[in-house]
Amino acid sequence: MDLNREDVLILFDVDGTLTTPRQSITEEMKTFLYESVLPRATLGVVGGSDLEKMCEQLNGQEFLQKFDYVFPENGLVQYESGKEMGKMSISQHLGEDVLKRFINYCLHYIADLELPIKRGTFIEFRNGMLNVSPIGRNCSREERNQFYEYDQTHRVRQAMICRLKEQFSEVDLTYSIGGQISFDVYPVGWDKTFCLRHISKRTKPFREIHFFGDKTSPGGNDYEIFSHPQTIGHQVVSPEDTRKQLAELLKL
């Protein structure tokens, strides 16, 4: 790639792309990004999690200063050069009545759901979305893996999404499966492509925007930005695959 740093933006998903699911970034990946990639390209990260969870996975707030753009919650919260530039609110957008009805329905549905195990924190409220987990986010690493295998067969999350689409058909919501144990719910258009609105405000447009993610199939939470006409999408299967494809792209 014969471009300078200001010409190209490389955007990354977190889980399954920069890290293994819900685990911390490795020192090898950090060194590769900061010493090999950062001098060659503008760096951005866009994830469904909030900033606190991003910090847990990317080893504290150092990455806020290293990455040029940081987009928690699908870019509904925006950081540039370490400073918060704005955020959206799902509660203001939907209104409290709709939000309360939706949350109540989810809790009733999960209460009646027969699963091998359940833990806690079934709904996590974020600025721009709801994260719904049938097993509960307070599960262990082993329990998380077990539920993921169970869900691959029984499609628990997909079945719940289908029911929610029926019950709330009048509300313009998008449902997106990401990670191993949950799915995100947000207003239509508030997927990861939302971060491109902020990037487009840049005085000098990027010649190329590359996105690396693992959940790039329809229904996955990387699909919209992976297939967006403004981006060049790269599907990866692991952090190691991300490093390999990046090295090929940048001729490192």
Side-chain angles (χ1 to χ4, degrees):
M1 178 187 294
D2 188 22
L3 299 171
N4 65 45
R5 188 176 186 278
E6 295 301 311
D7 287 331
V8 60
L9 168 65
I10 300 180
L11 281 171
F12 300 96
D13 167 51
V14 182
D15 263 8
T17 302
L18 292 182
T19 76
T20 54
R22 294 303 306 144
Q23 297 298 298
S24 297
I25 192 170
T26 63
E27 287 300 318
E28 291 79 8
M29 178 62 92
K30 281 176 59 180
T31 300
F32 177 70
L33 289 174
Y34 298 158
E35 295 184 7
S36 299
V37 181
L38 189 59
R40 304 285 303 277
T42 303
L43 294 188
V45 59
V46 53
S49 297
D50 58 24
L51 182 64
E52 182 180 353
K53 287 188 176 62
M54 273 193 172
C55 287
E56 289 174 8
Q57 289 186 259
L58 299 177
N59 284 4
Q61 296 203 355
E62 175 192 21
F63 81 99
L64 266 177
Q65 308 302 324
K66 294 286 190 180
F67 279 80
D68 303 270
Y69 295 100
V70 174
F71 298 116
E73 302 183 41
N74 284 0
L76 299 166
V77 182
Q78 306 111 32
Y79 287 85
E80 187 174 346
S81 303
K83 297 180 181 178
E84 184 181 307
M85 305 300 288
K87 65 173 64 172
M88 301 294 289
S89 167
I90 190 173
S91 59
Q92 289 181 5
H93 183 83
L94 294 181
E96 290 299 337
D97 288 344
V98 172
L99 195 58
K100 183 170 64 176
R101 185 161 57 90
F102 187 90
I103 290 172
N104 285 345
Y105 186 89
C106 286
L107 291 173
H108 281 293
Y109 183 96
I110 292 171
D112 294 333
L113 197 57
E114 287 297 329
L115 294 175
I117 59 171
K118 289 182 184 176
R119 292 300 179 250
T121 311
F122 300 102
I123 299 178
E124 190 171 84
F125 180 83
R126 301 173 182 170
N127 286 299
M129 69 176 73
L130 297 173
N131 179 263
V132 181
S133 175
I135 185 181
R137 295 194 64 87
N138 294 348
C139 55
S140 67
R141 160 60 45 192
E142 183 180 353
E143 291 163 346
R144 174 185 289 267
N145 291 337
Q146 288 172 353
F147 175 80
Y148 181 69
E149 291 300 321
Y150 184 87
D151 189 50
Q152 292 291 95
T153 302
H154 298 278
R155 296 176 64 81
V156 177
R157 289 181 288 179
Q158 190 59 55
M160 186 173 179
I161 287 172
C162 289
R163 184 70 66 83
L164 289 167
K165 284 181 176 180
E166 292 173 3
Q167 292 294 319
F168 295 89
S169 59
E170 81 285 359
V171 185
D172 287 335
L173 293 172
T174 296
Y175 302 83
S176 182
I177 293 176
Q180 294 178 297
I181 61 168
S182 64
F183 60 90
D184 295 329
V185 185
Y186 43 82
V188 171
W190 287 23
D191 51 61
K192 286 183 180 178
T193 62
F194 198 92
C195 73
L196 299 176
R197 304 185 194 187
H198 182 76
I199 293 166
S200 68
K201 297 175 184 176
R202 193 171 184 261
T203 304
K204 180 186 176 185
F206 290 105
R207 280 173 58 187
E208 293 182 5
I209 299 175
H210 293 262
F211 172 77
F212 287 76
D214 65 321
K215 294 290 191 300
T216 57
S217 299
N221 65 356
D222 294 326
Y223 173 72
E224 288 84 4
I225 190 167
F226 170 81
S227 58
H228 195 277
Q230 289 182 28
T231 68
I232 301 168
H234 303 264
Q235 182 180 26
V236 300
V237 296
S238 66
E240 293 74 22
D241 189 29
T242 300
R243 284 183 59 180
K244 180 178 178 230
Q245 291 195 40
L246 259 178
E248 291 173 356
L249 175 69
L250 297 174
K251 297 182 172 61
L252 297 174

